[in-house]
Amino acid sequence: MRTPRPRTAVLALLSLALSFLAGASTVPAAHAAAATIASYDFESGTQGWEPRGSGVSVTAATDSAHGGTRSLLTTGRSATWHGAAVTPPFEKGVSYQVTAWARAVAGQPSSTVALTVQRTPAGGTTVYERVAAATVTDSEWVRLSGTYTYAADSALSLYAESSGETVAFQLDDIVVTADTDPTRSGLTSDFETGTAQEWTARGGATLTPGDGFAHTGAYGLGVTNRQASWDGPARTVLGKMAKGSKYDLSVWVRTDSAQSLGLSVERRLDGTPAYERVAAPRALAAGEWTRLAGTYTLAHDVDFLSVYVESAAGTEPFAIDDFQLTYVEPKPIQTDIPSLKDSLPFTVGAAFYRGATLGEHAKLITKHYQSVTPGNSLKWDATEPAEGDFTFADGDYLVDWATTNGLEFRGHTLVWHSQTPDWVFEGATKEILLQRMENHIRAVMGRYKGRIGTWDVVNEVIDENRPDGLRRSPWFEIAGLDYIRTAFRVAREVDPDATLVINDYNTEFPRKRQALYDLVKKLRAEGVPIDAVGHQLHVNVEQPPTSFIEDTIEKFAGLGVEQQVTELDVSVYTDFVTSYDTVPAEILALQGHRYREIFDVFRRQADHLSSVTIWGVADDATWLSSFPITRTNPPLPFDDELQAKPAYWGIADPGRLPPLTRSLNAPAGTVTVDGKRDDEWNLLPDAPIARIGDLSAGWQARTTSAGLYVLAEVNDPTDNKNDTVTLTVGGTPYRIQRGGTHAHGFRAHTKKTATGYRVEALLPSGTATGVKVVVADAGGQQISWAGELTPIPAIRTTRAPKRTPVVDGIVDAAWNQAPEITTGTRIQGTSGATAKVRAMWNSGTLYVLARVTDPELSEESPNAWEQDSVEIFVDPQNNKTKGYDDDDGQYRISFTGRQTVGGTFDAFAVKENLTGAATRVPGGYVVEAAIRLPTVTLAKDALLGFDIQVNDAVGATRAAAATWNDPTGRGYVDTSRWGVLQLVK
Ligand code: XIL
């Protein structure tokens, strides 16, 4: 005979929790346990069930039973809600499974019998929450089953009712189960009790539960009188998280004045605290409720564990509500897919962290990777936070774990300008600084001698925008190049067997490539022991072209230096403002194809590459979710749940990639089909068709009523008449041989070029936009592009003569030589300010004159783009990239002469390029600008990406805006629709 066990179950749960809170200083690893919380078989009586509704009676009757000899008989009902009720043994934050058996008493009609929870929050309105229901007849026992999560403090009743007002029914074998492990049951704080629900202030802040702070329900928690940015509400979660388990954490926050709020965890062991971000602080607008959310994996032993909300700066008040902690059930990794390490001819590794050495993450690492590198644990701030005070706990743990698991280890990084404590540079002469550096290298490298085989000795020392190509870090400012020389010399002394690496990002871009190349060449010639160049390779789904990566590897191969890819990831964004709620499947497919092209390069260049490290284990932990802004950005081969993405298949088995539909802008335009490259083709870069072996190509299209003009530039060094380009438009293939032979019915011409051949053709296209381009060489190699054309208007062009004006806001005669363009493309509003614009150039500078018609001028808005102003967009190389290259600039001058500059996220390469002046004139204003373009050598005939935008403010908002060419309104993040400016004599 079974008995109801609600109280005991609760007590057992509590004592389990207490035993490890009190006894041990560590939290046990999670273990699965679905336990019966209560069961009611009515063999011993009504077991706590009571009548619900007047006239109702409940008895443990023997006339029928599902199991045993008795069931709970409910009679005397006269309303649908009449029935039998019990106080359920539910614990807040826990999810329960409830099953029961029901049957109508013989002769009673069929009805719906339901189990429902009646829940009354303190001071709130009663709600009725359905748990399970089924159609019940008098002919057999029917099973009811459902789940219930008790989320908020309330008075509870669980009851059975029937849609038949007078139906008498029986219940039996009611079983409530739950996951009793408190580290899996989660936690909710809704403050509906009108209390702080165990939230306390971290500093002296005042926490006020109250009805002025409710996100939902009647109450929330006000946070005022904060003493510091880190002072705010905190809730202990010790005992609610297990080491190695992952949790979703979220909380709603509201601030009265704009500020940045974030969610963090503080953990301690033996009094040593550590702080970890769950949701990086994000800028919040005043007055709105926003959800801060993130996941957290407890990767450490702890004896204190707390979640808290803090601000990025300041002590402004805020409110919180509806906090939730939820256990995330790990998905097993896929064991039936190829291991990445088996399919690659070089060492493949991943950046990792403590949490990734546990559970499924650990399995993923050891299945796919041969090498690991810590994302943060060996950086200076982690290893020597105060002088001579070394902290190796995480480093030791990770190196031990890797060694135990037979993994190679890359050390990252000894000398860097970032994540380096201030003390390192404080009061440092060159001698002191180099001594501190030497001490650091000796201690850190020495500790792991023989176990860390490769070290990033110096990181990110290049600044290609400096004449000498060297970053102006405190290292450089204090010690010049000697800091690099000393770092390598000391590193070699400490461990002569270690591979010593100079590591940097953007090394695939030509200017940075060159600057790094020059430095490595020079230092190696001096005898500085640089063994290898590390290419970080933080790229995105579109940029830069894969050919840049290959060019870089080939260039450094010429130096005879070892090369490694050290931090590969592929952002799904091409700019720093876009943010997807859910990343579209097409973008993940595109990312897969991008991984494929990149790994094609790596495989081709395997002789020059000793290793490739991917910057993370899986998308659930990547630096790109908070850099350069907080957003969902899954850049890795494995998703949040450690499952293989298209990115993985792009590396392991491209045959399994989802098909990709590319897209290409096809401007209106005409060319002469004669095999010569018309100027029109130079208005856009050729769209690359990926390389295989020696075969690569680029192509373009122009639309006219006569059909589709197509250009293909093929690189194929071995000339064979069976080399072909096949253009399929709207399903019809047009095949053109390298020698020019093609079928009748369309025009085409080919011509030999320095690296292969060019095809020009005019194809009948009708309205078809689907195009496939297949380039094949006689040897059987084939490359292709398939996708959709987007017809766009002709690209506007203008010219800039070589003259120098006086830049003072007064229109001098020199301008008469320059043709005038106007801002005729409306991107906001239907009327408003316009500008007449001219451009000139001389030596390294572009000059722009804008005469704006705008009788009412305002700078009231705090946002520069919402003030009356002129924006000049310049891409010195006319690359027409989605997103900005680092020398692309958005240069803005307001009617009062205020200057602002936009570019890549901190505009570091362009922010000093602009000078200018503005003057008011009747009916408007005049802007003159001088824009230095130091990244290119300006010369006659050069083409620049160029556009103009006029912002028309009315009061504190922008009412209208117009451009010269770009109709998208996205010119500030995307250069692909700007017009073209040609430099002339
Ligand atoms: C990043 C880490 O991944 C982040 O966790 C940390 O907050 C910032 O640093 N180039 C480098 C790496 O060399 O060390 C950086 O790692 C990413 C850019």
Side-chain angles (χ1 to χ4, degrees), residues 423-435:
W423 70 260
V424 178
F425 307 111
E426 257 158 30
T429 58
K430 177 170 177 178
E431 200 190 355
I432 292 174
L433 184 67
L434 294 184
Q435 190 58 54

Side-chain angles (χ1 to χ4, degrees), residues 646-664:
Y648 162 85
W649 292 112
I651 305 172
D653 184 358
R656 294 189 51 179
L657 277 173
L660 178 66
T661 304
R662 297 185 186 268
S663 69
L664 184 71

Side-chain angles (χ1 to χ4, degrees), residues 375-376 379 412 416 419 459-460 503 536 538 567 615 623:
N376 289 302
K379 290 174 180 172
H412 176 83
W416 193 20
Q419 292 179 269
N459 195 30
E460 303 182 350
N503 191 46
Q536 291 188 3
H538 295 292
E567 304 183 14
W615 202 242
W623 74 305

Side-chain angles (χ1 to χ4, degrees), residues 142-166:
V142 173
R143 185 167 180 270
L144 280 69
S145 122
T147 61
Y148 183 77
T149 302
Y150 174 29
D153 289 302
S154 309
L156 298 182
S157 167
L158 172 68
Y159 66 95
E161 60 189 330
S162 162
S163 61
E165 288 173 3
T166 58

Side-chain angles (χ1 to χ4, degrees), residues 542-623:
E542 302 271 1
Q543 297 297 330
T546 320
S547 61
F548 282 26
I549 301 171
E550 191 143 28
D551 291 348
T552 286
I553 298 172
E554 284 176 345
K555 177 150 186 133
F556 282 95
L559 271 185
V561 69
E562 183 180 329
Q563 296 182 70
Q564 306 186 344
V565 170
T566 56
E567 304 183 14
L568 175 67
D569 51 20
V570 179
S571 167
V572 300
Y573 302 101
T574 57
D575 60 55
F576 56 96
V577 297
T578 306
S579 178
Y580 299 118
D581 287 336
T582 310
V583 180
E586 310 85 76
I587 298 288
L588 295 177
L590 177 65
Q591 184 185 54
H593 286 264
R594 183 94 166 119
Y595 264 97
R596 178 218 173 131
E597 286 184 8
I598 291 170
F599 274 80
D600 279 348
V601 170
F602 296 164
R603 286 189 170 96
R604 228 171 6 242
Q605 299 294 337
D607 285 351
H608 305 310
L609 277 184
S610 54
S611 71
V612 171
T613 294
I614 297 172
W615 202 242
V617 176
D619 288 340
D620 64 334
T622 154
W623 74 305

